[in-house]
Amino acid sequence: MAVNMKSFIPIDAESHFSLQNLPYGVFRPSSGEVARPGVAIGDYVLDLSAICRAGIFNGPLLKGTDCFLQASLNSFMEMGRPAWKEARATIQKLLSVDEPTLRDNAELRRKALFRMSQVQMMLPAVIGDYTDFFSSKYHTQNCIAILYGPEAPIPPNWLNLPVAYHGRASSVVISGTDIVRPRGQMHPAGKPLPGFGPSAKLDFELEIAAIVGPGNELGQAVDVDDATDHVFGLVLMNDWSARDIQAWESLPLGPFLGKSFGTTISPWIITLEALEPFSCEAHVQDPPPLPYLAGKRSRSFDIPLEVAINPAEEDKAFVVCSSNFNHLYWTIEQQIAHHTINGCNLRSGDLLGSGTISGPKPENVGCLLELTCDGKKQLKVGNNLTRTFLEDGDEVILTACCQ
């Protein structure tokens, strides 16, 4: 029997957390309490540890498991897609308007439902490794034009493989965590020698990251057509960047201190099952990818994205960017296939960033480097306020919503 996709929990029409979504996260009901997995539904968080202890996860794959009694989602994510589907079906039925198990049990509701505004969100997974890709052709073209001139070509390797670097997992933090302005070496234009100090070019990067579910054995590559079985879901990600530090240090090996001081992710992981209605064809790739990157289907997702800056001088955010996940050139499946083709082993909880998501129009670009042409143009961020890069006290708000 099909589940009635209306919940007994009141859900505002503008809410991102419908019965069709059901993203996973980790939370504490209050400071000092034990962290546990939860699911967002309307303005509430469903405590999966309470549901587990009540014996409601009684399907063949989840019965008796302690995956929802952990302080992270890693154990559950490692179980794979069949277990994820079983959990999703159980939770959707439990929250349905027609199901009395939770609806009519006041004591269980008291134990299992918490106001989202009153809980403390934590990192949803233990992130062992973090890789950041460079998957937007528009972002690549724009950055090359800004840094090397409008006639400079895209490097041929970029058109043939998903370029990436290995980031710093220890400085991945949950949304709402303050970022300290980094210090380091930089070499301003016109200066004979490098200097040292706080970055004057602090930037955001609009990204979406995949969270790995089951990993792969060392030495065993993941086939591009099997790659989605290794993706638990997606999060919003801001890979903060100190452009002046990055510019001075990056040649010949790549970014280091200009990136490693902080990467922010959203608390809720949106599953691929929830995103399936919004799947779409990915961009045509020219030249055609090599066979190990050429899957039976080239898929992306139609996920509208927005960035707003709430400047320190005001109490209102100003939208500076509107983009879409489907602007990316390289797909998640190709990223995983390439990441593992040399035998590299992914593990549950690994974070795979998309790279800055920029599109074809000026308002589609996903960082201040592009929006201000590396500080040469002023960007409006409010009433009579402009920015070239972020100032102390500014707040950056990333939003994604499929409808």
Side-chain angles (χ1 to χ4, degrees):
M1 181 181 293
V3 173
N4 187 332
M5 294 304 287
K6 180 179 179 181
S7 177
F8 70 85
I9 295 173
I11 301 175
D12 188 272
E14 298 300 313
S15 173
H16 290 194
F17 304 123
S18 66
L19 198 57
Q20 290 84 354
N21 189 355
L22 299 180
Y24 290 88
V26 168
F27 75 103
R28 287 188 176 128
S30 61
S31 180
E33 290 198 58
V34 175
R36 73 284 305 266
V39 159
I41 179 71
D43 293 330
Y44 290 85
V45 179
L46 178 70
D47 184 341
L48 297 184
S49 69
I51 299 305
C52 178
R53 289 189 175 96
I56 291 170
F57 290 111
N58 57 10
L61 300 176
L62 293 173
K63 186 175 183 179
T65 182
D66 65 353
C67 67
F68 295 127
L69 305 179
Q70 309 297 318
S72 77
L73 286 164
N74 292 64
S75 294
F76 174 55
M77 297 191 301
E78 201 166 7
M79 295 180 73
R81 194 164 305 284
W84 308 340
K85 288 185 175 181
E86 183 177 296
R88 180 174 172 83
T90 300
I91 295 167
Q92 281 186 328
K93 180 182 177 183
L94 179 69
L95 294 172
S96 169
V97 70
D98 296 332
E99 174 58 42
T101 303
L102 181 61
R103 183 196 67 196
D104 297 347
N105 187 330
E107 179 62 16
L108 184 56
R109 289 199 312 274
R110 185 186 65 80
K111 293 179 179 178
L113 285 172
F114 296 88
R115 283 275 182 184
M116 194 177 293
S117 59
Q118 297 174 351
V119 305
Q120 179 186 4
M121 298 305 299
M122 316 293 292
L123 281 174
V126 176
I127 300 169
D129 274 300
Y130 157 46
T131 302
D132 199 24
F133 285 88
F134 202 147
S135 298
S136 166
K137 189 175 182 179
Y138 299 110
H139 176 62
T140 304
Q141 289 171 323
N142 293 337
C143 289
I144 289 174
I146 290 168
L147 299 175
Y148 304 108
E151 304 304 319
I154 292 178
N157 67 327
W158 193 95
L159 294 166
N160 285 277
L161 58 87
V163 170
Y165 76 93
H166 190 187
R168 182 74 187 174
S170 65
S171 53
V172 177
V173 296
I174 198 68
S175 177
T177 304
D178 288 342
I179 297 295
V180 176
R181 182 177 296 272
R183 298 186 300 162
Q185 285 193 36
M186 57 207 77
H187 194 178
K191 299 287 186 179
L193 296 172
F196 175 85
S199 171
K201 292 186 174 182
L202 185 57
D203 200 354
F204 66 83
E205 287 189 340
L206 171 61
E207 302 195 28
I208 281 181
I211 304 281
V212 173
N216 59 298
E217 294 295 326
L218 182 65
Q220 299 294 317
V222 174
D223 188 275
V224 67
D225 288 319
D226 299 329
T228 52
D229 289 335
H230 295 264
V231 179
F232 178 66
L234 306 181
V235 292
L236 279 166
M237 189 176 103
N238 181 355
D239 190 32
W240 303 92
S241 301
R243 299 301 186 187
D244 40 9
I245 297 172
Q246 181 185 359
W248 174 233
E249 72 181 1
S250 288
L251 293 178
L253 195 57
F256 183 31
L257 301 186
K259 293 281 193 175
S260 62
F261 61 94
T263 301
T264 301
I265 65 170
S266 54
W268 297 109
I269 305 176
I270 312 299
T271 65
L272 295 192
E273 282 73 25
L275 288 168
E276 184 56 38
F278 308 100
S279 65
C280 60
E281 290 299 312
H283 284 259
V284 175
Q285 296 175 335
D286 183 21
L290 292 177
Y292 80 95
L293 294 171
K296 295 174 183 176
R297 182 186 177 192
S298 183
R299 180 180 72 161
S300 185
F301 294 99
D302 179 11
I303 307 175
L305 303 165
E306 190 175 89
V307 180
I309 294 177
N310 190 345
E313 302 93 323
E314 294 196 358
D315 58 3
K316 188 172 76 170
F318 191 87
V319 175
V320 297
C321 163
S322 298
S323 193
N324 197 299
F325 184 74
N326 65 17
H327 291 320
L328 293 177
Y329 186 87
W330 294 105
T331 69
I332 295 170
E333 293 84 354
Q334 290 174 319
Q335 291 168 9
I336 290 175
H338 184 67
H339 202 314
T340 62
I341 195 62
N342 67 341
C344 174
N345 55 319
L346 301 177
R347 295 175 295 186
S348 176
D350 282 357
L351 185 72
L352 308 180
S354 63
T356 303
I357 303 172
S358 294
K361 298 178 181 179
E363 64 269 23
N364 299 151
V365 298
C367 65
L368 290 171
L369 177 72
E370 294 172 85
L371 285 164
T372 70
C373 197
D374 194 22
K376 296 180 179 67
K377 299 188 299 184
Q378 295 288 329
L379 176 70
K380 184 177 180 181
V381 295
N383 296 323
N384 302 315
L385 279 178
T386 61
R387 290 285 190 269
T388 52
F389 289 96
L390 295 170
E391 301 289 344
D392 289 349
D394 288 351
E395 181 182 10
V396 180
I397 303 164
L398 276 56
T399 306
C401 185
C402 302
Q403 291 181 321

